[in-house]
């Protein structure tokens, strides 16, 4: 099974973490965000992923490398100009040429999830649909695509980003598509699959299936931290092995015996926490230094950031190599 994963967003709300690293390549606990995506897809029978990259494609390629990850063959394509979700899927599909399978998955690459894609594939085959959307129930659908189905799962209405805070089942950004859907996407221009393609399929082979499980957009620092604890406390199925519930300490991280780390912390390889320092509800990416007696809470520190002895960092995001001075 092939999957096209859309990874063209810039992740502006995660700046400065995403100044030089696109969101999908950002480390979450111990691996790039993309790795979770690939491992999840592998668990549902995907053997080949094409990443549709709009932004910094080389950095994305470096995160997982060419070749394979978790038994999945990987490749990367970058659209020559802005294509939107539909245009990017079409561009990636075209890049496979004759190798594109008759039925494949397309996914938004910005959510951490363990939804049951196998159930989605089965429902798609059973309904003989042209496109089947994974749906997820939320309390506030305003920032998502709200999807209404009839009793048989056929989509009857789509409302993209209504701005109204009503509960409902939303487009979770995971689709099973028949190859023929590509014919509905004009090549070479920006096309939104949600606004321009799916509406044309209503009544003509568009289904939705509600899936239970974990599903979260990691678009803000708050959600990035929340997702980290969800991984480390087992609320989402991943391959991460926590050091202890809520805690991950990477190989080679140095934590002084007189420092206090946790509850809830990620201390990446090469980071050090000196005597008397406290780190809680925080993520230190590679090679951060927390000086003696400093206190870091509710914060994310990009690789190489340092906090001077005695400094206090609360609810902050520090960019690569940034230094927080004493006082
Ligand atoms: N390659 C490429 N090129 N990728 C793109 C482009 C593009 O031009 N535009 C968007 N993407 C990628 C983003 O990186 C993201 O992974 C995915 O497509 C969806 O785009 P977002 O910009 O994140 O959309 P959204 O979150 O506002 O809304 C979408 O996702 C919701 C679920 O999270 C819609 O599909 C909604 O209907 C849905 O509910
Ligand atoms: Mg999104």
């Amino acid at each position: 099974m092939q999957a096209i994963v859309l990874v063209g967003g810039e992740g502006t709300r995660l700046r400065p973490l995403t100044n030089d690293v696109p969101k999908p390549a950002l480390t979450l606990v111990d691996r790039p965000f993309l790795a979770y995506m690939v491992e999840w897809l592998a668990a549902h029978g995907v053997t080949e992923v094409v990443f549709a990259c709009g932004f910094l494609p080389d950095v994305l390629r470096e995160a997982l490398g060419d070749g394979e990850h978790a038994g999945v063959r990987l490749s990367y394509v970058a659209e020559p100009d802005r294509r939107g979700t539909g245009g990017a899927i079409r561009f990636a599909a075209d890049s496979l040429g004759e190798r594109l399978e008759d039925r494949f998955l397309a996914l938004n690459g910005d959510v951490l999830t363990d939804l049951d894609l196998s159930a989605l594939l089965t429902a798609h085959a059973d309904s003989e649909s042209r496109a089947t959307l994974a749906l997820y129930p939320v309390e506030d659908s305003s920032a998502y695509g709200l999807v209404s189905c009839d009793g048989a799962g056929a989509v009857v209405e789509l409302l993209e980003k209504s701005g109204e805070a009503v509960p409902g089942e939303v487009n979770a950004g995971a689709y099973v598509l028949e190859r023929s859907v590509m014919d509905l996407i004009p090549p070479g221009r920006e096309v939104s699959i949600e606004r321009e393609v799916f509406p044309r399929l209503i009544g003509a082979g568009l289904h939705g299936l509600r899936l239970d499980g974990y599903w979260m957009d990691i678009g803000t620092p708050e959600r990035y931290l929340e997702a980290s604890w969800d991984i480390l406390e087992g609320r989402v199925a991943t391959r991460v092995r926590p050091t202890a519930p809520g805690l991950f300490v990477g190989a080679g991280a140095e934590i002084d015996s007189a420092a206090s780390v946790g509850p809830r912390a990620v201390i990446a390889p090469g980071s050090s926490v000196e005597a008397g320092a406290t780190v809680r509800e925080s993520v230190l990416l590679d090679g951060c230094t927390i000086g003696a007696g400093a206190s870091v809470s509710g914060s994310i520190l990009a690789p190489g950031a340092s906090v001077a002895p005695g400094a206090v960092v609360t609810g902050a995001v520090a960019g690569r190599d940034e230094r927080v001075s004493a006082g």
Side-chain angles (χ1 to χ4, degrees), residues 222-245:
E222 293 74 21
R223 281 160 177 244
Y224 174 94
L225 286 174
E226 217 180 301
S228 301
W229 319 138
D230 289 339
I231 290 166
L232 291 171
E233 290 166 2
R235 283 183 287 279
V236 51
T238 70
R239 297 190 184 189
V240 173
R241 297 282 159 263
T243 307

Side-chain angles (χ1 to χ4, degrees), residues 6 8-9 52 79 82 84 88 108-110 144-145 160-161 171 175 194:
L6 296 176
E79 308 102 66
R82 187 142 193 96
N108 289 350
D110 62 350
Y144 301 111
E160 189 63 23
K161 316 238 171 75
N171 169 10
Y175 322 126
E194 299 89 344

Side-chain angles (χ1 to χ4, degrees), residues 13-208:
R13 291 171 302 165
L14 279 169
R15 284 179 188 157
L17 297 174
T18 49
N19 279 354
D20 52 354
V21 181
K23 182 163 77 169
L26 195 62
T27 299
L28 186 63
V29 184
D30 67 344
R31 60 197 72 200
F33 185 66
L34 284 181
Y36 294 93
M37 199 83 198
V38 174
E39 290 161 12
W40 167 57
L41 292 170
H44 294 285
V46 170
T47 52
E48 176 172 7
V49 165
V50 180
F51 288 109
C53 317
F55 174 69
L56 300 179
D58 294 339
V59 185
L60 281 177
R61 181 179 272 124
E62 273 164 33
L64 285 185
D66 282 307
E68 61 108 50
H69 178 83
V72 177
R73 174 175 167 183
L74 307 178
S75 61
Y76 304 79
V77 296
E79 308 102 66
D81 40 51
R82 187 142 193 96
R83 291 290 162 88
T85 49
I89 292 171
R90 170 84 201 243
F91 186 83
D94 287 351
S95 78
L96 287 164
E98 285 306 304
R99 292 209 312 106
L100 180 66
E101 290 164 1
D102 288 337
R103 178 175 298 164
F104 57 94
L105 288 159
L107 306 116
N108 289 350
D110 62 350
V111 289
L112 176 68
T113 177
D114 59 10
L115 295 182
D116 187 356
L117 287 178
S118 300
L120 191 71
L121 286 161
T122 303
H124 179 86
D126 290 350
S127 65
E128 297 180 9
S129 202
R130 290 179 76 192
T132 304
L133 319 184
L135 307 182
Y136 191 76
V138 298
E139 285 306 313
D140 176 358
S141 64
S142 56
Y144 301 111
L146 187 61
V147 183
S148 311
C149 298
D150 68 14
V155 173
V156 293
E157 194 181 9
L158 293 168
L159 205 55
E160 189 63 23
K161 316 238 171 75
S162 69
E164 278 183 66
V166 292
E169 291 178 354
V170 299
N171 169 10
Y175 322 126
V176 186
L177 302 177
E178 292 298 301
R179 186 184 174 136
S180 66
V181 172
M182 295 302 97
D183 300 336
L184 300 177
I185 305 176
R189 72 159 169 93
E190 187 164 349
V191 180
S192 159
I193 198 165
E194 299 89 344
R195 294 177 194 271
E196 294 180 56
V197 181
F198 292 148
R200 290 175 63 190
L201 284 168
I202 293 177
L206 183 66
H207 283 75

